[in-house]
């Protein structure tokens, strides 16, 4: 065995760093520190519970050689279990809800696991739900072990015996508040118990999402009505056994949009590439921090890596289609035009113009694109340097050909009373937005204009 090497990848789990946030929340009366659990080899804190629960299952005789590990998992626990199974030579079947990202599903299949995908929006008792399907599989497959991270108390024991002592040792208990996004309840309950035993005054705050019933249950003791949401890994529509509500002092509740925007901000402003539940918990921490009258050090566990959300939270089209883009786009286009000093006197050409005339006009006026309109002002298309000049140089069109030959449709028409958000959406797919007023062309907005507006407004 080479000196300094780990015996296998499972041995490399843990010892993740804690880092300070230096920009987000800097105006508040709190310091925020985050534990980067995405630095575990499988990319999440669930590597720990995967290894710990399976080690205990072997010890307790629930998992026998050659057995099949079955779990209903949103992906991260699956990776932790699959990693342990690869190292120790077991088979895995994972049951996932269909809202989970494609990366997570592909990732599990790449480990050689079988993946069964079930509908998201059905009750847990429904035979199609991923809870029911996982249970059914474990009842019918011989020599199988249903891990059940929801009710298997070795989930929270993992954090009580491993994650929390590690954080306590790293910080010497130099924090006032511990926060984590909640799902199965394992992280908050396991860490919460350890910290409460060690520290007299520590506060344990969970972060739940709008649509989940967990925070409401903590407050009222009643099972509320769950609603669908998009955030992965956070919240539940039932109460898993791993919760120990007596240890949790309070909850902050956040929604999909604020969580996703904060996840992106975390990368932009702190360089931390984490998943959506990280945005959720930090958004929750800011809400918490705003209410504090004394300065507090907040320690937050960030569950997983941004890699698994590349096609979602970190994809502009997905964010825009879901209506999650920043509300600083929530301003009327006419106001944007004013700020940019655009006066609505845009130059247009009529459809009777020749290509040569349009080129001359663009050269004279030093403009790179010009809308083409009919005699009564209807928009027929857009001529750009690319659509006009290059084909002439290449000999495709002659200068006295009609302009209609060189019209591009790489634009979207947006009324000036609409919001900048509409222009931002349009610019994800088209090169330029043609702005109209009372149905007539008034201006053009391109990406550079939007960026200029944002920087003038001091927004990001
Ligand atoms: C990305 C992510 N964040 C947060 C959580 C919540 O952690 P816990 O299940 O320990 O409450 C999970 C677990 O399901 C998760 O996968």
């Amino acid at each position: 065995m080479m000196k300094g090497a780990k015996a296998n990848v499972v041995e490399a789990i843990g010892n993740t760093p804690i880092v300070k946030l230096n920009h987000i929340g800097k105006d508040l009366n709190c310091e925020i520190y985050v534990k980067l659990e995405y630095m575990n080899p499988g990319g999440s804190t669930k590597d720990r519970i995967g290894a710990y629960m399976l080690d205990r299952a072997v010890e307790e005789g629930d998992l026998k050689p050659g057995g099949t590990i079955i779990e209903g998992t949103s992906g991260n626990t699956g990776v932790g279990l699959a990693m342990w199974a690869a190292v120790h030579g077991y088979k895995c079947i994972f049951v996932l809800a269909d809202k989970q990202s494609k990366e997570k599903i592909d990732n599990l299949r790449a480990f050689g696991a079988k993946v069964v995908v079930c509908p998201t929006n059905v009750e847990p008792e429904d035979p199609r739900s991923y809870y029911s399907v996982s249970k059914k599989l474990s009842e019918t497959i011989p020599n199988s072990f249903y891990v059940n991270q929801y009710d298997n108390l070795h989930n929270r024991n993992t954090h009580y015996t491993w994650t929390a002592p590690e954080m306590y040792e790293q910080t010497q208990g130099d924090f006032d508040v511990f926060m984590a996004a909640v799902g199965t309840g394992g992280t908050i309950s396991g860490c919460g118990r350890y910290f409460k035993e060690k520290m007299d005054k520590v506060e344990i705050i969970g972060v739940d999402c709008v649509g989940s019933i967990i925070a409401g249950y903590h407050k009222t003791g009643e099972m509320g009505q769950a609603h669908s949401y998009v955030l992965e890994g956070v919240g539940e529509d039932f109460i898993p056994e791993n919760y120990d509500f007596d240890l949790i002092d309070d909850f902050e509740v956040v929604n999909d949009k604020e969580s996703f925007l904060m996840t992106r901000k975390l990368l932009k402003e702190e360089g931390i590439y984490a998943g959506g539940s990280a945005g959720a918990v930090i958004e929750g921490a800011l809400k918490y921090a705003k209410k504090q009258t004394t300065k507090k050090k907040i320690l937050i566990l960030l569950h997983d890596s941004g890699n698994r959300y590349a096609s979602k939270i970190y994809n502009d089209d997905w964010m825009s289609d879901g209506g999650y883009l920043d509300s600083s786009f929530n301003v009327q286009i006419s106001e944007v035009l004013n700020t940019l000093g655009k006066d609505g006197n845009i130059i247009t050409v009529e459809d009777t113009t020749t290509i040569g005339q349009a080129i001359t006009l663009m050269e004279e006026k030093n403009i790179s694109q010009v809308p083409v309109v009919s005699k009564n002002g209807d928009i027929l298309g857009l001529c750009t340097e690319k659509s006009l000049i290059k084909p002439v140089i290449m000999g495709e069109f002659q200068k006295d050909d009609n302009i209609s030959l060189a019209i591009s449709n790489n634009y979207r028409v947006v009324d000036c009373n609409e919001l900048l958000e509409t222009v931002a959406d349009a610019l994800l797919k088209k090169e330029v937005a043609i702005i109209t007023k009372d149905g007539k062309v008034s201006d053009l907005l391109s990406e550079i204009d939007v960026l200029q507006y944002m920087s003038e407004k001091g927004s990001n």
Side-chain angles (χ1 to χ4, degrees):
M1 180 76 186
M2 182 195 281
K3 276 187 192 150
K6 304 278 185 194
N8 58 56
V9 71
V10 171
E11 299 292 318
I13 300 170
N15 283 322
T16 56
I18 293 174
V19 303
K20 183 174 190 289
L21 296 191
N22 295 299
H23 303 285
I24 294 174
K26 71 172 186 294
D27 303 331
L28 298 171
N29 196 20
C30 287
E31 285 175 15
I32 300 178
Y33 297 84
V34 292
K35 181 157 174 78
L36 303 183
E37 281 288 276
Y38 66 70
M39 293 187 70
N40 281 303
S44 89
T45 198
K46 300 284 180 164
D47 289 0
R48 296 181 193 256
I49 69 163
Y52 188 92
M53 290 191 297
L54 292 177
D55 281 339
R56 296 296 84 71
V58 171
E59 261 171 35
E60 292 164 11
D62 294 326
L63 180 60
K64 302 197 179 61
T68 302
I69 297 158
I70 298 177
E71 181 61 326
T73 166
S74 65
N76 286 323
T77 304
V79 170
L81 296 169
M83 192 193 299
W84 185 97
V87 167
H88 294 95
Y90 288 81
K91 295 186 280 284
C92 290
I93 301 178
F94 296 115
V95 187
L96 263 66
D98 58 7
K99 76 169 179 183
Q100 306 302 332
S101 66
K102 192 172 169 307
E103 286 95 328
K104 284 182 176 176
I105 295 172
D106 289 347
N107 202 359
L108 290 176
R109 289 203 170 118
F111 270 104
K114 286 204 173 67
V115 177
V116 181
V117 180
C118 298
T120 303
N121 290 325
V122 293
E123 297 295 317
E125 306 77 42
D126 188 298
R128 295 165 299 162
S129 80
Y130 76 102
Y131 313 110
S132 307
V133 173
S134 320
K135 270 206 183 106
K136 184 95 203 146
L137 285 171
S138 63
E139 283 158 15
T140 49
I141 295 175
N143 193 15
S144 62
F145 171 61
Y146 174 38
V147 183
N148 190 4
Q149 61 171 329
Y150 298 96
D151 302 327
N152 181 339
L153 298 186
H154 287 315
N155 171 354
R156 70 184 189 199
N157 293 344
T158 310
H159 298 294
Y160 175 72
T161 57
W162 187 1
T163 326
E166 183 181 302
M167 278 188 273
Y168 187 78
E169 197 179 306
Q170 282 172 304
T171 59
Q172 303 295 301
D174 183 22
F175 59 95
D176 307 288
V177 187
F178 173 72
M179 294 187 75
V182 300
T184 65
T187 310
I188 197 90
S189 306
C191 293
R193 184 167 148 220
Y194 185 85
F195 294 144
K196 289 262 174 179
E197 282 175 7
K198 286 280 180 189
M199 302 157 72
D200 285 347
K201 293 205 177 99
V202 70
E203 273 181 88
I204 306 295
I205 310 287
V207 175
D208 195 13
C209 62
V210 174
S212 157
I213 65 163
I214 304 292
Y217 183 82
H218 175 259
K219 201 168 179 185
T220 65
E222 278 170 29
M223 303 273 284
Q225 178 67 43
H227 300 284
S228 65
Y229 52 88
V230 180
L231 198 59
E232 295 175 43
V234 186
E236 295 298 345
D237 50 6
F238 68 108
I239 308 291
E241 293 287 321
N242 269 291
Y243 277 94
D244 187 342
F245 284 106
D246 292 343
L247 298 166
I248 307 172
D249 294 294
D250 207 354
F251 276 90
E252 296 293 341
V253 179
V254 298
N255 65 29
D256 285 336
K257 181 172 176 168
E258 53 194 5
S259 303
F260 297 153
L261 290 174
M262 183 54 76
T263 308
R264 288 161 69 106
K265 196 167 175 173
L266 189 60
L267 181 55
K268 262 195 212 138
E269 297 190 7
E270 306 284 350
I272 293 176
Y273 189 38
S277 71
V281 70
I282 289 171
E283 186 66 27
L286 297 187
K287 288 185 183 189
Y288 170 87
K290 278 182 195 144
K291 293 183 269 188
Q292 303 313 305
T293 47
T294 55
K295 193 172 171 84
K296 288 186 175 160
K297 286 182 184 157
I298 306 175
L299 174 59
I300 298 177
L301 184 143
L302 302 188
H303 279 85
D304 72 350
S305 152
N307 279 328
R308 300 199 175 122
Y309 308 88
S311 67
K312 290 186 160 186
I313 301 168
Y314 293 105
N315 178 291
D316 288 347
D317 285 347
W318 184 86
M319 286 291 285
S320 157
D321 291 347
Y324 304 127
L325 280 179
D326 200 328
S327 57
S328 50
F329 287 114
N330 220 347
V331 51
Q332 222 168 30
I333 293 167
S334 43
E335 195 190 316
V336 176
L337 296 172
N338 265 342
T339 307
L340 293 174
K342 290 186 179 256
D343 55 9
N345 287 326
I346 191 179
I347 297 165
T348 57
V349 292
E350 270 191 30
D351 53 353
T352 48
T353 312
T354 65
I355 288 176
Q357 286 168 331
I359 293 175
T360 310
L361 178 79
M362 285 166 76
E363 279 168 358
E364 270 174 24
K365 305 283 182 192
N366 197 20
I367 51 177
S368 58
Q369 39 203 3
V370 58
V372 180
V373 294
S374 69
K375 208 170 184 58
N376 56 11
D378 294 338
I379 301 165
L380 301 174
L382 183 73
C383 274
T384 64
E385 276 172 340
K386 224 195 251 163
S387 73
L388 206 57
I389 299 172
K390 209 169 148 210
V392 172
I393 294 169
M394 304 294 284
E396 255 175 77
F397 310 139
Q398 303 304 313
K399 284 197 169 178
D400 48 8
D401 282 340
N402 182 267
I403 192 81
S404 59
L405 286 178
I407 282 177
S408 135
N409 63 0
N410 203 354
Y411 64 90
R412 190 174 289 171
V413 178
V414 182
D415 186 85
C416 66
N417 290 316
E418 290 203 44
L419 299 179
L420 183 58
E421 205 169 18
T422 318
V423 170
D425 282 354
L427 293 179
L428 289 175
K429 288 165 190 124
K430 302 285 182 182
E431 221 158 82
V432 85
I434 299 184
I435 310 301
T436 54
K437 190 173 178 192
D438 303 326
K440 303 284 175 233
V441 183
S442 99
D443 265 299
L444 289 181
L445 282 177
S446 61
E447 250 170 31
I448 196 78
D449 296 318
V450 176
L451 289 175
Q452 192 187 333
Y453 173 78
M454 303 299 272
S455 75
E456 279 185 29
K457 285 281 155 193
S459 158
N460 55 358

